[in-house]
């Protein structure tokens, strides 16, 4: 009788763990439909000739690696002289120009805001002001900066009158100036977000380490180099990888800032990013095979950069050297 009651209690036990699968199922469903599916379709399409010529649709015909060859080699036989690599070079230049100062300033501000010796008043207000550009839409900021720096814009006129730039200088016709403005916009929009992530990382470090260092007489610089930076490496790695992924896919700001009607970044293709070029191949030229091959090149470059960051910043546990004498004993 007692055994039967015990078996009944066992049967009534509810396995709540299985309900967890219902909560995570929507993510995997959306991931399969909208991310993994299109990704695999793009990989497959990169091996096919598939484009539109007028009202005629050519393909899809399997052509092997020909789309990749077209992406890597121009019509004269020169390697890496194609529009794909020009756009990729523009993207890398814009990303590096905004991210390097962005991470340095964010680190400085995060260290400053979390320094217990400084005790800065009104930190919340400063953080809100610094983060504010991140909540403005990219298109709005692009239009704003274009209005300020075009040939008749107020900033251009002020700089001309002050003698800082030549009277006939036009930011929109200068390659480096256009890239510099786009880089500054990205830097201005994202350094607050990076600072918040780094502050969260620093606040996650055991405070007793900082207190012990201060008791030992360590300076602020020594504490930052010997304690903060080494323990902040996982957060810095996260920031670097997410920045690389986002930076190499940048589209909205350069696509609105200084472009012609065909969608090319001005002047002379200098502000065309790789995603703008892929979009042009897809929607304007309707060359789906080549656009897929260019997308695969972007994917490959992103993977290489991410793996490089993981290799450089990965925590490597130093294995203790084996004591030969102890081993022989």
């Amino acid at each position: 009788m007692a055994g039967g009651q015990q078996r009944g209690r066992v049967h009534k036990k509810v396995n709540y763990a299985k309900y967890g699968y219902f909560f995570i199922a929507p993510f995997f469903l959306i991931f399969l439909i909208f991310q993994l599916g299109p990704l695999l379709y793009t990989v497959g399409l990169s091996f096919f000739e598939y484009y539109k010529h007028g009202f005629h649709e050519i393909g899809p015909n399997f052509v092997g690696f020909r789309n990749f060859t077209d992406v890597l080699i121009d019509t004269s036989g020169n390697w890496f002289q194609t529009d794909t690599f020009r756009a990729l070079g523009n993207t890398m230049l814009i990303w590096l120009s905004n991210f390097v100062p962005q991470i340095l300033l964010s680190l400085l501000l995060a260290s400053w805001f979390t320094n217990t010796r400084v005790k800065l008043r009104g930190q919340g207000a400063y953080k809100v002001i610094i983060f504010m550009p991140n909540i403005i839409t990219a298109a709005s900021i692009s239009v704003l900066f274009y209005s300020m720096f075009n040939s008749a814009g107020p900033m251009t006129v002020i700089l001309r009158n002050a003698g800082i730039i030549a009277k006939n200088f036009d930011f929109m016709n200068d390659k480096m100036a256009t890239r510099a403005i786009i880089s500054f916009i990205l830097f201005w929009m994202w350094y607050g977000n990076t600072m918040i992530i780094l502050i969260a990382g620093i606040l996650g470090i055991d405070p007793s380490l900082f207190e012990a260092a201060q008791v030992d007489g360590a300076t602020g610089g020594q504490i930052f180099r010997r304690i903060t930076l080494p323990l902040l490496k996982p957060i810095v790695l996260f920031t670097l990888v997410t920045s690389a992924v986002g930076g190499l896919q940048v589209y909205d700001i350069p696509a609105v800032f200084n472009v012609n009607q065909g969608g090319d970044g001005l002047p002379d293709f200098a502000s065309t990013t790789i995603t703008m070029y892929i979009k042009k191949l897809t929607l304007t030229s309707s060359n789906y095979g080549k656009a897929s091959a260019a997308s695969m090149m972007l994917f490959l470059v992103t993977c290489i950069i991410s793996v490089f960051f993981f290799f450089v910043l990965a925590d490597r546990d130093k294995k203790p050297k084996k004591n030969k004498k102890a081993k022989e004993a």
Side-chain angles (χ1 to χ4, degrees):
M1 184 68 181
Q5 291 177 347
Q6 189 176 4
R7 282 197 296 273
R9 285 197 294 272
V10 170
H11 286 302
K12 289 179 182 177
K13 187 178 180 182
V14 179
N15 183 13
Y16 290 102
K18 67 180 181 183
Y19 292 105
Y21 294 106
F22 292 107
F23 288 103
I24 63 174
F27 164 76
F28 285 102
L29 191 62
I30 292 172
F31 175 75
L32 289 173
I33 295 174
F34 294 106
Q35 291 189 328
L36 186 61
L39 176 64
L40 295 177
Y41 181 68
T42 302
V43 173
L45 207 57
S46 64
F47 295 98
F48 285 84
E49 177 191 47
Y50 187 28
Y51 63 94
K52 286 183 179 178
H53 183 70
F55 293 102
H56 301 286
E57 188 171 289
I58 312 299
N61 303 312
F62 182 75
V63 292
F65 290 93
R66 198 176 78 185
N67 286 325
F68 292 94
T69 307
D70 292 342
V71 164
L72 293 168
I73 307 171
D74 67 2
T75 53
S76 302
N78 298 316
W79 283 76
F80 309 124
Q81 300 295 323
T82 59
D83 285 344
T84 303
F85 275 87
R86 287 179 64 197
L88 195 57
N90 295 337
T91 309
M92 293 284 292
L93 192 60
I94 290 172
W95 171 59
L96 288 172
S97 301
N98 84 81
F99 182 69
V100 173
Q102 181 191 139
I103 188 73
L104 293 176
L105 181 60
S106 300
L107 265 175
L108 181 66
L109 290 173
S111 175
W112 189 37
F113 282 131
T114 54
N115 193 329
T116 54
R117 290 176 176 173
V118 176
K119 295 180 180 177
L120 184 67
R121 292 183 178 179
Q123 286 193 25
Y126 289 119
K127 291 173 186 175
V128 169
I129 293 170
I130 292 171
F131 189 79
M132 193 76 77
N134 194 255
I135 63 175
I136 306 173
T137 58
S140 303
I141 294 181
S142 292
V143 172
L144 173 66
F145 274 76
Y146 179 80
S147 302
M148 290 195 301
F149 286 96
N150 64 44
S151 59
M155 286 302 298
T156 307
V157 173
I158 291 171
L159 293 173
R160 282 175 184 162
N161 293 336
I164 298 174
I165 59 175
K167 292 293 182 184
N168 59 350
F169 185 83
D170 188 351
F171 286 96
M172 300 302 144
N173 287 329
D174 188 274
K175 293 182 180 179
M176 292 307 298
T178 299
R179 289 169 179 159
I181 293 173
I182 293 173
S183 300
F184 176 78
I185 295 171
L186 291 166
F187 160 80
W188 184 58
M189 283 187 69
W190 287 101
Y191 84 100
N193 182 73
T194 306
M195 180 198 72
I196 296 296
I197 294 172
L198 294 175
I199 286 176
I202 293 175
L203 292 177
I205 299 173
D206 188 353
S208 64
L209 296 174
F210 297 113
E211 293 168 4
Q214 289 173 359
V215 170
D216 289 341
T219 63
Q222 289 173 327
I223 293 174
F224 182 73
R225 290 194 306 273
R226 303 293 178 85
I227 297 176
T228 306
L229 270 184
L231 295 178
L232 200 61
K233 275 204 307 186
I235 304 299
V236 174
L237 176 61
F238 168 79
T239 306
L240 287 172
V241 172
T242 53
S243 171
V245 173
L248 293 176
Q249 295 179 10
V250 64
Y251 174 82
D252 42 13
I253 291 172
V256 176
F257 181 64
N258 188 17
V259 294
N260 59 20
Q261 292 185 346
D264 292 330
L266 298 175
D268 190 24
F269 207 72
S271 60
T272 302
T273 62
I274 184 66
T275 48
M276 290 170 64
Y277 181 64
I278 292 170
K279 179 251 182 183
K280 182 182 176 182
L281 284 175
T282 307
L283 300 182
T284 306
S285 304
S286 300
N287 192 338
Y288 308 115
K290 189 174 179 180
S292 300
S295 301
M296 294 310 301
M297 293 304 301
L298 173 61
F299 177 73
L300 183 64
V301 171
T302 306
C303 286
I304 291 172
I305 293 175
S306 300
V307 169
F308 173 76
F309 286 146
F310 273 106
F311 179 79
V312 172
L313 293 176
D315 285 326
R316 297 180 179 84
D317 296 330
K318 294 181 179 179
K319 296 180 179 178
K321 294 181 179 178
K322 294 180 179 179
N323 190 334
K324 292 183 178 179
K325 292 182 179 180
K327 190 176 180 180
E328 290 171 358

